[in-house]
Amino acid sequence: MLALDRVGKTYPNGVHALERFSASIKLGEIVAIIGGSGCGKSTLLRAIAGLDRATTGTVTLDDIAITAPHAKIGIIFQEPRLLPWLSVADNIGFGLSELSAAARREKVARALDRVGLADKANAWPRELSGGQAQRVAIARALVPQPEVLLLDEPFSALDAFTRRDLQDHLLDLWNDTRPTLMLVTHDVDEAVVLADRVLVMRPRPGRLFEEIKINLARPRDRNSPHFDNFKRRVLTALDRSLDRNVPDADAKSTTGEAMWW
Amino acid sequence: MAMTVELPALERTEATTPETKASSARLRRYAGPALGLLLPVGLALAWEIAVWAGLSNGRLVPPPTKIFATMVELAKSGELSRHIIATLSRVASGFVIGVVAGTLFGAISGYWGLARRLLDPTVQALRAIPSIAWVPLFILWLGIFETSKVALIAVGVFFPVYLGVMGAISSVDRKIVEVGRTFRLSGPAMIRRILLPAVLPAYVVALRVGLGLGWMFVVAAEFMGASEGLGYLLIDGQQLGKPAQIVAAIVIFAILGKTTDWLIEIATAPLLRWQDAFGGRSGAA
């Protein structure tokens, strides 16, 4: 279990990015964090990843305090961040250096197959499209079999079709080992299609505003009325988190706001 | 209308046989270097003709055939190889020392902020001194023979390598370094697996600049009392009034400098195939 206990972060320049954020997330749960810009989403994720340290509060995974990057926690960034001097296969195997070469090769081959890039094993990262590169990044993070996988707006730089494709693909991969997924996004559609729980945050300073459970069976139909209903609820919560006046949530059209920035 | 214009052209490209295609590809491959040779060879030819036609006596600027004859003469007596080996070994030892020191100090300054603040101002101040100014001091300290010459070349090589390595390491993308952190790389592993490959392209440039300065400084070093070496050939040619020997030495310098530079390029090209840079693929000669 991943436990966040009153996590807060104030940067050295005085910016109060995050305040008393508490949540506990079960193994295998998918949680989406959504909120306006400057609500501390990325700060929170970096604290869980151990890349930055929280100024107050604690992050614990199975009762181990996280203060530095941990083997059981993987992260996928907004950019693929592949190492340009390594082939696609070597990029995926980057976190497996303690394994024997044969074991590593086998795991990498399986991962390549799983993300549908078996034919690109020896390609350079520069030869990949944006979607392919992000697939490699996903494979690289999943191949050491983390217990928790953090995703920081992983698909926001992709076009709408590729994004949908990769969302489905991510769920499919998640189903293999069922790690905990914690996803930061500003795309309401993405949050509702992926998450068991959506945590809406409120900015300045960033804190938890509302929690919405998505009780929809997977695979989820993006066009069903239930799906729309959850989307509307998340949108309403977002609007309220920004103190916007929304008298009648149900009358609101959501079509124009499927991509919520 | 447009169709009728385009069709014959299409047919013609299809009609070209594989052999003509292959030969035109070969032609293109050699066309680049050949184009580069056009200007120097043309100028040499023009000068040769000018001297032959009596437009100039060619005493101060000897024609190519005379320079070549001087080279052959020097080579026959075994003098030439002795001078080349002397110069090459000086450049090589000075280059190695300069590169090792420059890489080490550059890496320390680039990686460790405190070291940079401590070390860099002094190094930059030393860099501002024209390196020839060290010559009297080096002769006093290290004697007139090999050591002072190698030291001067090493000083010349040190600064560009130091600057290149320091700049490259301190500007490695933080995002790439973070990838290393999330995989919990230790300090040495971070340097070996992330920082070194990331700075390699800049390092190769620094090595080539360093080598160029090494060739520059070997002449200065050999001007200060050498009994052998290409620089000695220059001084000897000046004192005994043998312009052909001077030009021959200069030409050999050009050939050696270009060859060693090309060797670095060839040796490092396989390590840099991954680069996705403007001219990264077509720029390699």
Side-chain angles (χ1 to χ4, degrees):
Chain A
M1 187 167 84
L2 180 67
L4 311 173
D5 184 25
R6 286 162 290 172
V7 178
K9 174 85 184 176
T10 308
Y11 283 103
N13 62 7
V15 173
H16 193 30
L18 191 64
E19 188 178 77
R20 295 170 70 85
F21 188 98
S22 296
S24 66
I25 296 142
K26 292 197 302 282
L27 179 64
E29 203 177 354
I30 304 181
V31 174
I33 298 168
I34 198 164
S37 54
C39 72
K41 307 177 293 231
S42 292
T43 304
L44 178 67
L45 216 63
R46 290 178 63 86
I48 302 172
L51 287 171
D52 289 335
R53 284 192 72 163
T55 29
T56 59
T58 52
V59 177
T60 52
L61 176 65
D62 302 332
D63 299 321
I64 305 160
I66 303 295
T67 52
H70 192 277
K72 286 183 181 173
I73 302 177
I75 184 163
I76 295 168
F77 300 98
Q78 185 175 353
E79 327 80 24
R81 299 198 187 181
L82 303 181
L83 304 177
W85 53 85
L86 294 181
S87 69
V88 165
D90 288 342
N91 261 294
I92 294 179
F94 189 78
L96 301 174
S97 48
E98 67 277 11
L99 263 66
S100 73
R104 186 163 65 233
R105 213 170 313 126
E106 197 215 301
K107 276 200 161 196
V108 168
R110 210 178 321 136
L112 271 168
D113 212 35
R114 203 67 190 74
V115 293
L117 292 172
D119 55 325
K120 297 275 185 207
N122 296 315
W124 297 113
R126 66 157 192 257
E127 293 159 344
L128 301 178
S129 71
Q132 287 171 334
Q134 198 59 300
R135 270 172 210 243
V136 174
I138 293 173
R140 176 177 68 184
L142 278 174
V143 112
Q145 295 187 327
E147 224 169 78
V148 175
L149 183 62
L150 307 168
L151 301 103
D152 190 358
E153 301 182 17
F155 309 132
S156 61
L158 304 173
D159 63 272
F161 283 115
T162 315
R163 192 183 310 139
R164 270 188 177 207
D165 193 39
L166 277 187
Q167 286 161 357
D168 295 340
H169 199 76
L170 177 70
L171 276 180
D172 188 32
L173 291 170
W174 167 79
N175 216 2
D176 288 351
T177 54
R178 297 234 170 184
T180 306
L181 293 190
M182 205 158 168
L183 167 96
V184 160
T185 182
H186 42 220
D187 179 350
V188 175
D189 232 68
E190 182 167 286
V192 176
V193 85
L194 293 174
D196 298 309
R197 227 182 336 153
V198 177
L199 304 180
V200 181
M201 288 181 75
R202 153 171 225 177
R204 279 175 290 275
R207 62 226 123 118
L208 184 59
F209 179 71
E210 200 174 321
E211 181 181 321
I212 298 160
K213 280 204 160 62
I214 313 284
N215 300 315
L216 277 175
R218 293 196 178 91
R220 290 172 182 167
D221 178 5
R222 287 179 173 85
N223 301 316
S224 76
H226 290 301
F227 191 88
D228 266 348
N229 202 20
F230 278 112
K231 240 165 73 178
R232 206 167 305 137
R233 277 181 60 190
V234 173
L235 273 170
T236 316
L238 267 172
D239 278 332
R240 276 191 287 121
S241 80
L242 296 171
D243 296 324
R244 284 192 197 147
N245 234 354
V246 190
D248 185 3
D250 289 299
K252 257 180 74 72
S253 128
T254 54
T255 46
E257 282 145 302
M259 278 292 296
W260 190 90
W261 298 98
Chain B
M1 188 61 191
M3 285 280 278
T4 52
V5 174
E6 270 172 44
L7 265 170
L10 250 168
E11 272 167 52
R12 212 179 309 136
T13 47
E14 271 169 354
T16 44
T17 58
E19 289 116 78
T20 53
K21 247 183 229 165
S23 74
S24 79
R26 212 175 311 132
L27 201 73
R28 238 176 288 130
R29 226 183 112 197
Y30 293 117
L35 212 63
L37 284 174
L38 202 65
L39 188 66
V41 169
L43 282 177
L45 215 64
W47 187 241
E48 185 74 47
I49 290 167
V51 173
W52 177 74
L55 293 173
S56 164
N57 61 17
R59 199 167 297 149
L60 282 178
V61 185
T65 44
K66 196 156 172 239
I67 296 165
F68 188 70
T70 311
M71 274 194 223
V72 171
E73 198 184 309
L74 280 168
K76 267 189 189 151
S77 64
E79 286 282 284
L80 189 64
S81 57
R82 188 168 65 92
H83 291 304
I84 288 179
I85 287 169
T87 297
L88 263 181
S89 61
R90 280 171 193 146
V91 172
S93 25
F95 181 67
V96 168
I97 295 169
V99 164
V100 169
T103 307
L104 212 67
F105 281 97
I108 292 172
S109 282
Y111 189 64
W112 194 28
L114 182 65
R116 178 159 59 245
R117 286 193 292 276
L118 209 67
L119 200 70
D120 196 51
T122 310
V123 175
Q124 298 297 348
L126 289 175
R127 191 170 76 95
I129 301 170
S131 304
I132 308 294
W134 293 107
V135 168
L137 204 58
F138 281 175
I139 290 178
L140 273 182
W141 283 350
L142 306 167
I144 191 81
F145 299 112
E146 290 306 295
T147 326
S148 58
K149 294 184 177 63
V150 171
L152 184 66
I153 297 164
V155 166
V157 174
F158 172 82
F159 289 107
V161 174
Y162 167 86
L163 268 185
V165 171
M166 183 190 71
I169 287 192
S170 56
S171 63
V172 170
D173 191 357
R174 174 190 61 80
K175 292 175 174 173
I176 292 279
V177 176
E178 250 170 26
V179 171
R181 284 185 63 207
T182 56
F183 285 107
R184 301 170 316 287
L185 296 187
S186 61
M190 184 72 98
I191 290 174
R192 187 172 56 82
R193 299 184 65 191
I194 303 273
L195 294 178
L196 280 184
V199 304
L200 204 59
Y203 189 54
V204 171
V205 173
L207 287 184
R208 290 173 67 178
V209 174
L211 184 68
L213 278 165
W215 280 109
M216 227 165 106
F217 279 82
V218 78
V219 178
E222 286 175 348
F223 276 2
M224 57 191 204
S227 55
E228 55 181 6
L230 293 169
Y232 164 79
L233 275 187
L234 292 174
I235 290 286
D236 187 61
Q238 181 214 335
Q239 284 170 348
L240 300 180
K242 292 189 282 190
Q245 184 178 316
I246 297 177
V247 180
I250 288 174
V251 169
I252 293 167
F253 265 124
I255 293 170
L256 287 180
K258 177 67 189 155
T259 310
T260 45
D261 183 65
W262 177 70
L263 284 177
I264 293 185
E265 208 181 312
I266 294 281
T268 52
L271 299 172
L272 298 178
R273 266 181 311 143
W274 52 269
Q275 270 190 296
D276 186 15
F278 169 72
R281 269 156 283 172
S282 60

mmCIF file of all heavy atoms in Angstrom, chain B residues 31-57:
data_model
loop_
_atom_site.group_PDB
_atom_site.id
_atom_site.type_symbol
_atom_site.label_atom_id
_atom_site.label_comp_id
_atom_site.label_asym_id
_atom_site.label_seq_id
_atom_site.Cartn_x
_atom_site.Cartn_y
_atom_site.Cartn_z
ATOM 1 N N ALA B 31 32.780 12.568 -55.731
ATOM 2 C CA ALA B 31 32.689 13.938 -56.216
ATOM 3 C C ALA B 31 33.034 14.935 -55.115
ATOM 4 O O ALA B 31 33.703 15.931 -55.371
ATOM 5 C CB ALA B 31 31.305 14.213 -56.769
ATOM 6 N N GLY B 32 32.610 14.648 -53.861
ATOM 7 C CA GLY B 32 32.849 15.562 -52.744
ATOM 8 C C GLY B 32 34.326 15.833 -52.538
ATOM 9 O O GLY B 32 34.787 16.981 -52.655
ATOM 10 N N PRO B 33 35.117 14.768 -52.252
ATOM 11 C CA PRO B 33 36.563 14.967 -52.064
ATOM 12 C C PRO B 33 37.219 15.580 -53.291
ATOM 13 O O PRO B 33 38.096 16.441 -53.169
ATOM 14 C CB PRO B 33 37.079 13.554 -51.823
ATOM 15 C CG PRO B 33 35.894 12.780 -51.361
ATOM 16 C CD PRO B 33 34.697 13.402 -52.001
ATOM 17 N N ALA B 34 36.801 15.147 -54.469
ATOM 18 C CA ALA B 34 37.412 15.660 -55.692
ATOM 19 C C ALA B 34 37.184 17.158 -55.798
ATOM 20 O O ALA B 34 38.089 17.920 -56.169
ATOM 21 C CB ALA B 34 36.822 14.952 -56.905
ATOM 22 N N LEU B 35 35.993 17.595 -55.418
ATOM 23 C CA LEU B 35 35.655 19.012 -55.451
ATOM 24 C C LEU B 35 36.568 19.789 -54.511
ATOM 25 O O LEU B 35 37.014 20.894 -54.821
ATOM 26 C CB LEU B 35 34.189 19.178 -55.042
ATOM 27 C CG LEU B 35 33.446 20.334 -55.678
ATOM 28 C CD1 LEU B 35 33.358 20.144 -57.172
ATOM 29 C CD2 LEU B 35 32.055 20.456 -55.076
ATOM 30 N N GLY B 36 36.846 19.179 -53.366
ATOM 31 C CA GLY B 36 37.713 19.821 -52.385
ATOM 32 C C GLY B 36 39.140 19.966 -52.895
ATOM 33 O O GLY B 36 39.863 20.875 -52.491
ATOM 34 N N LEU B 37 39.569 19.030 -53.749
ATOM 35 C CA LEU B 37 40.945 19.060 -54.252
ATOM 36 C C LEU B 37 41.115 20.046 -55.403
ATOM 37 O O LEU B 37 42.227 20.436 -55.739
ATOM 38 C CB LEU B 37 41.353 17.655 -54.720
ATOM 39 C CG LEU B 37 41.687 16.666 -53.603
ATOM 40 C CD1 LEU B 37 41.920 15.278 -54.179
ATOM 41 C CD2 LEU B 37 42.917 17.118 -52.829
ATOM 42 N N LEU B 38 39.986 20.422 -55.995
ATOM 43 C CA LEU B 38 40.027 21.226 -57.215
ATOM 44 C C LEU B 38 40.840 22.513 -57.033
ATOM 45 O O LEU B 38 41.712 22.828 -57.845
ATOM 46 C CB LEU B 38 38.589 21.567 -57.628
ATOM 47 C CG LEU B 38 38.397 21.936 -59.083
ATOM 48 C CD1 LEU B 38 38.700 20.742 -59.964
ATOM 49 C CD2 LEU B 38 36.983 22.442 -59.326
ATOM 50 N N LEU B 39 40.576 23.238 -55.939
ATOM 51 C CA LEU B 39 41.208 24.540 -55.737
ATOM 52 C C LEU B 39 42.712 24.416 -55.495
ATOM 53 O O LEU B 39 43.492 25.038 -56.227
ATOM 54 C CB LEU B 39 40.494 25.270 -54.586
ATOM 55 C CG LEU B 39 40.924 26.717 -54.380
ATOM 56 C CD1 LEU B 39 40.527 27.576 -55.561
ATOM 57 C CD2 LEU B 39 40.317 27.274 -53.104
ATOM 58 N N PRO B 40 43.188 23.618 -54.521
ATOM 59 C CA PRO B 40 44.637 23.547 -54.294
ATOM 60 C C PRO B 40 45.388 22.997 -55.503
ATOM 61 O O PRO B 40 46.436 23.547 -55.881
ATOM 62 C CB PRO B 40 44.764 22.615 -53.084
ATOM 63 C CG PRO B 40 43.461 21.932 -52.937
ATOM 64 C CD PRO B 40 42.440 22.822 -53.538
ATOM 65 N N VAL B 41 44.849 21.941 -56.135
ATOM 66 C CA VAL B 41 45.537 21.353 -57.278
ATOM 67 C C VAL B 41 45.575 22.347 -58.431
ATOM 68 O O VAL B 41 46.612 22.523 -59.092
ATOM 69 C CB VAL B 41 44.851 20.027 -57.703
ATOM 70 C CG1 VAL B 41 45.406 19.560 -59.045
ATOM 71 C CG2 VAL B 41 45.053 18.959 -56.638
ATOM 72 N N GLY B 42 44.499 23.057 -58.653
ATOM 73 C CA GLY B 42 44.437 24.050 -59.710
ATOM 74 C C GLY B 42 45.453 25.159 -59.482
ATOM 75 O O GLY B 42 46.177 25.554 -60.404
ATOM 76 N N LEU B 43 45.550 25.654 -58.249
ATOM 77 C CA LEU B 43 46.498 26.723 -57.931
ATOM 78 C C LEU B 43 47.928 26.243 -58.129
ATOM 79 O O LEU B 43 48.760 26.962 -58.704
ATOM 80 C CB LEU B 43 46.292 27.186 -56.479
ATOM 81 C CG LEU B 43 45.095 28.113 -56.232
ATOM 82 C CD1 LEU B 43 44.972 28.426 -54.749
ATOM 83 C CD2 LEU B 43 45.260 29.410 -57.032
ATOM 84 N N ALA B 44 48.208 25.008 -57.666
ATOM 85 C CA ALA B 44 49.557 24.473 -57.802
ATOM 86 C C ALA B 44 49.929 24.367 -59.278
ATOM 87 O O ALA B 44 51.034 24.743 -59.694
ATOM 88 C CB ALA B 44 49.645 23.102 -57.125
ATOM 89 N N LEU B 45 48.984 23.885 -60.046
ATOM 90 C CA LEU B 45 49.207 23.711 -61.487
ATOM 91 C C LEU B 45 49.477 25.066 -62.145
ATOM 92 O O LEU B 45 50.407 25.222 -62.958
ATOM 93 C CB LEU B 45 47.977 23.054 -62.106
ATOM 94 C CG LEU B 45 48.235 22.091 -63.257
ATOM 95 C CD1 LEU B 45 49.041 20.895 -62.773
ATOM 96 C CD2 LEU B 45 46.928 21.647 -63.879
ATOM 97 N N ALA B 46 48.671 26.056 -61.756
ATOM 98 C CA ALA B 46 48.809 27.387 -62.332
ATOM 99 C C ALA B 46 50.195 27.952 -62.017
ATOM 100 O O ALA B 46 50.851 28.535 -62.891
ATOM 101 C CB ALA B 46 47.717 28.310 -61.780
ATOM 102 N N TRP B 47 50.646 27.762 -60.797
ATOM 103 C CA TRP B 47 51.961 28.289 -60.398
ATOM 104 C C TRP B 47 53.091 27.575 -61.156
ATOM 105 O O TRP B 47 54.044 28.190 -61.614
ATOM 106 C CB TRP B 47 52.143 28.135 -58.890
ATOM 107 C CG TRP B 47 53.387 28.806 -58.398
ATOM 108 C CD1 TRP B 47 54.443 28.228 -57.779
ATOM 109 C CD2 TRP B 47 53.712 30.192 -58.518
ATOM 110 N NE1 TRP B 47 55.409 29.139 -57.510
ATOM 111 C CE2 TRP B 47 54.987 30.378 -57.949
ATOM 112 C CE3 TRP B 47 53.041 31.293 -59.083
ATOM 113 C CZ2 TRP B 47 55.614 31.613 -57.906
ATOM 114 C CZ3 TRP B 47 53.675 32.530 -59.029
ATOM 115 C CH2 TRP B 47 54.950 32.672 -58.447
ATOM 116 N N GLU B 48 52.931 26.250 -61.277
ATOM 117 C CA GLU B 48 53.923 25.464 -62.009
ATOM 118 C C GLU B 48 54.074 25.986 -63.439
ATOM 119 O O GLU B 48 55.181 26.212 -63.929
ATOM 120 C CB GLU B 48 53.466 23.999 -62.017
ATOM 121 C CG GLU B 48 54.454 23.019 -62.634
ATOM 122 C CD GLU B 48 55.644 22.764 -61.730
ATOM 123 O OE1 GLU B 48 55.412 22.525 -60.521
ATOM 124 O OE2 GLU B 48 56.788 22.825 -62.209
ATOM 125 N N ILE B 49 52.911 26.228 -64.053
ATOM 126 C CA ILE B 49 52.921 26.719 -65.433
ATOM 127 C C ILE B 49 53.537 28.108 -65.493
ATOM 128 O O ILE B 49 54.350 28.411 -66.383
ATOM 129 C CB ILE B 49 51.486 26.713 -66.008
ATOM 130 C CG1 ILE B 49 51.025 25.266 -66.209
ATOM 131 C CG2 ILE B 49 51.421 27.469 -67.332
ATOM 132 C CD1 ILE B 49 49.546 25.112 -66.458
ATOM 133 N N ALA B 50 53.208 28.937 -64.501
ATOM 134 C CA ALA B 50 53.724 30.313 -64.483
ATOM 135 C C ALA B 50 55.248 30.310 -64.407
ATOM 136 O O ALA B 50 55.918 31.076 -65.119
ATOM 137 C CB ALA B 50 53.126 31.073 -63.300
ATOM 138 N N VAL B 51 55.818 29.442 -63.547
ATOM 139 C CA VAL B 51 57.283 29.375 -63.419
ATOM 140 C C VAL B 51 57.894 28.795 -64.688
ATOM 141 O O VAL B 51 58.911 29.278 -65.205
ATOM 142 C CB VAL B 51 57.668 28.521 -62.184
ATOM 143 C CG1 VAL B 51 59.179 28.301 -62.139
ATOM 144 C CG2 VAL B 51 57.199 29.208 -60.918
ATOM 145 N N TRP B 52 57.251 27.781 -65.212
ATOM 146 C CA TRP B 52 57.749 27.096 -66.415
ATOM 147 C C TRP B 52 57.759 28.045 -67.608
ATOM 148 O O TRP B 52 58.667 28.026 -68.431
ATOM 149 C CB TRP B 52 56.845 25.889 -66.668
ATOM 150 C CG TRP B 52 57.193 25.112 -67.915
ATOM 151 C CD1 TRP B 52 58.248 24.273 -68.093
ATOM 152 C CD2 TRP B 52 56.459 25.114 -69.134
ATOM 153 N NE1 TRP B 52 58.230 23.738 -69.328
ATOM 154 C CE2 TRP B 52 57.136 24.237 -70.009
ATOM 155 C CE3 TRP B 52 55.284 25.758 -69.580
ATOM 156 C CZ2 TRP B 52 56.669 23.981 -71.300
ATOM 157 C CZ3 TRP B 52 54.842 25.515 -70.857
ATOM 158 C CH2 TRP B 52 55.534 24.631 -71.711
ATOM 159 N N ALA B 53 56.758 28.921 -67.640
ATOM 160 C CA ALA B 53 56.642 29.851 -68.756
ATOM 161 C C ALA B 53 57.544 31.062 -68.563
ATOM 162 O O ALA B 53 57.586 31.945 -69.414
ATOM 163 C CB ALA B 53 55.192 30.292 -68.924
ATOM 164 N N GLY B 54 58.214 31.098 -67.418
ATOM 165 C CA GLY B 54 59.120 32.197 -67.174
ATOM 166 C C GLY B 54 58.471 33.465 -66.657
ATOM 167 O O GLY B 54 59.081 34.519 -66.624
ATOM 168 N N LEU B 55 57.221 33.380 -66.247
ATOM 169 C CA LEU B 55 56.529 34.558 -65.698
ATOM 170 C C LEU B 55 57.101 34.912 -64.329
ATOM 171 O O LEU B 55 56.995 36.036 -63.856
ATOM 172 C CB LEU B 55 55.024 34.298 -65.591
ATOM 173 C CG LEU B 55 54.281 34.135 -66.918
ATOM 174 C CD1 LEU B 55 52.853 33.706 -66.670
ATOM 175 C CD2 LEU B 55 54.318 35.443 -67.703
ATOM 176 N N SER B 56 57.672 33.924 -63.639
ATOM 177 C CA SER B 56 58.309 34.175 -62.354
ATOM 178 C C SER B 56 59.541 33.283 -62.278
ATOM 179 O O SER B 56 59.579 32.206 -62.870
ATOM 180 C CB SER B 56 57.337 33.837 -61.207
ATOM 181 O OG SER B 56 58.063 33.718 -60.000
ATOM 182 N N ASN B 57 60.572 33.723 -61.553
ATOM 183 C CA ASN B 57 61.747 32.877 -61.463
ATOM 184 C C ASN B 57 61.561 31.766 -60.424
ATOM 185 O O ASN B 57 62.329 30.825 -60.364
ATOM 186 C CB ASN B 57 63.003 33.713 -61.193
ATOM 187 C CG ASN B 57 62.886 34.465 -59.873
ATOM 188 O OD1 ASN B 57 62.044 34.140 -59.045
ATOM 189 N ND2 ASN B 57 63.721 35.459 -59.687
#
